[in-house]
Amino acid sequence: MISFQDRKYLQLGFITKPSHQLLSLLCPGLRIPRLSVLCAQPRPRAMASSSSSWELPLVAVCQLTSTPDKQQNFKTCAELVREAARLGACLAFLPEAFDFIARDPAETLRLSEPLGGDLFREYSQLARECGLWLSLGGFHERGQDWEQTKKIYNCHVLLNNKGSIMATYRKTHLCDVELPGQGPMRESNSTMPGPSLESPVSTPAGKIGLAICYDIRFPELSLALAQAGAEILTYPSAFGSVTGPAHWEVLLRARAIETQCYVVAPAQCGRHHETRASYGHSMVVDPWGTVVAHCSEGEGLCLARIDLNYLRQIRQHLPVFQHRRPDLYGNLSHPLS
């Protein structure tokens, strides 16, 4: 464990741009700023990493409180992404609705933009400026059918370090639910469901499978992405105050364990406006099901190392995909083309 003195020094180091050597003291996750360091539980001896931690790719998971003010939201996101770049991350993850959270469906539609719009160009420029990949976890996209449908897509976009779009996934499971204490959610009032899944994409951190928030409740999706080669699953989200404490961490750890993937989950937090608030608690879970980095309250980011050798060892020691019995229960998911 990191001592109190080391931890105090690391907090000071965050303000003054800590070195990679300082970050390598972590085991393997760090929450910055304002929140506590969270170290991973010891790994099984037979599956210890053979790589020194500072050689492994570093990812940053950003947590924020979006409002209807798109430019203020961009300013907050840009600050977090620039901090991630200064800390040495190769990829930064932003949560669902990073661009804005509106007060009602009419405002959502009014504030939405196409992927070729001004706001998205700013995020492309940010990726180029910082020289890192961006997972933009739920952009309110006016698609090509906007004039016909007058509805949008909840679009997860992956940008490379040149600002080019490498993949787009449009949320397939829309959140139409009514929960006591949380208020009704009718995503389909303004949003069209996506038509397909996106094959995992190779990045400097590993092969990433894209999903969004409510998708986490459908293990068939995560299994399909894992069978297609995903090593990292990402669930950018805006969980509410009722489902968050009850289900958020449980679902993330379950998806990591059953797919033997890293799970990266950036989240919205706090109060967005008069009628909506989000749970927060962004985190990274490793393929063993251990939470290795975690945000609790407030805007900020957490960091984690992605160890693909460790992932491969887990899959070798627990070859669950080889042990499936589709002859008994059919294929719960179908490999992506």
Side-chain angles (χ1 to χ4, degrees), residues 149-221:
T149 66
K150 296 302 179 183
K151 289 189 175 184
I152 60 173
Y153 292 96
N154 189 340
C155 185
H156 187 162
V157 185
L158 187 65
L159 299 179
N160 68 11
N161 58 353
K162 304 298 183 183
S164 301
I165 295 177
M166 302 303 292
T168 55
Y169 163 72
R170 292 165 179 89
K171 188 177 182 182
T172 50
H173 302 99
L174 300 184
C175 187
D176 287 358
V177 300
E178 287 193 38
L179 295 169
Q182 190 168 292
M185 172 73 73
R186 289 285 181 269
E187 191 172 12
S188 63
N189 284 348
S190 60
T191 305
M192 296 282 290
S196 62
L197 304 184
E198 179 72 18
S199 296
V201 180
S202 294
T203 76
K207 293 190 74 172
I208 292 183
L210 304 180
I212 302 173
C213 198
Y214 192 57
D215 288 333
I216 198 173
R217 296 185 180 276
F218 303 90
E220 298 89 345
L221 185 152

Side-chain angles (χ1 to χ4, degrees), residues 85-98:
R86 284 193 291 268
L87 292 167
C90 65
L91 199 155
F93 294 82
L94 293 175
E96 182 182 32
F98 66 93

